[in-house]
Amino acid sequence: MTTRATTGAPPRDLRDFYENPAVPVASGTPRSLRQARMLARALGPAAGAPRTVLDIGCGDGTAAATAAPLLPGHRVIGVDWSQDALRRARTRIPYAVRGELTGGGLPFASGSADAVLFSEVVEHLVDPDAALDEIRRILRPGGHLMLSTPNLAAWYNRGLLLAGVQPVFSEVSLRGIHGRPGKEVVGHLRLYTARALKEFVAASGFTVVRLEGAPFHGVPRPLRPLDRLACARPQLASILLLHARRT
């Protein structure tokens, strides 16, 4: 899940915000494709029984649909809390079920998943620690976590902070944008640097395998070549793509 916008009356709470059908729930295709390629390299070709890949916070199913052609023989299942998102996801992927990371937990047995896609979800969570605990529960030992999230220390955010401007991806209200570029309210509660993300995931019982960078579709067109160039150094990239394995 990435950029989200509110329309009409302000949301009463976060659940209202994310259930709003006017709110976009798709990750950008370039980073979804990069993440899918990372997962395909990690899983390898299907041999024998298909492996189970859960796209948790699947939104409209774009990331899962992007990954599926690169994962022939494997089973990709979308999971989301929003009923509206699930309706859209089911037009793109064969399997999409309702579930949430808090409360009663996800509707899967412990150790039942081989891999989890977690695309631009962690930055929206009140309790990311509990979310990683639940993901670790459903992953088999050695299972793969593919997590993506915006980079607080992206190359342009470093300059904005020096100028006293609120960083891109951050916000102070669910009702409007204040003090930063952009027009859409995105609902981000947590932001990570590359170092913070690696330490957080490792502390949650995972071994970090690889960190890559990805571009952000919201960068102005004249600056997009620079944004793509920054991907070579994940610490400066717009989006962080992390591959970790359950210990």
Side-chain angles (χ1 to χ4, degrees), residues 105-106 108-112 132-139 246:
L106 295 167
F108 301 98
S110 298
S112 60
L132 266 287
D133 288 345
E134 180 65 359
I135 289 173
R136 189 175 186 277
R137 180 188 69 80
I138 63 170
L139 276 174
R246 181 197 186 279

Side-chain angles (χ1 to χ4, degrees), residues 1 62 92 131 135-136 183 187 223:
M1 296 182 290
T62 297
R92 293 181 169 91
I135 289 173
R136 189 175 186 277
K183 298 179 180 179
L223 297 177

Side-chain angles (χ1 to χ4, degrees), residues 21-71:
V23 171
V25 290
S27 298
T29 300
R31 57 188 179 275
S32 293
L33 187 57
R34 289 184 185 222
Q35 190 176 40
R37 287 170 177 162
M38 289 175 70
L39 179 57
R41 290 195 300 268
L43 285 181
R51 296 187 178 183
T52 299
V53 178
L54 303 180
D55 182 5
I56 297 176
C58 68
D60 66 3
T62 297
T66 300
L70 301 179
L71 303 169

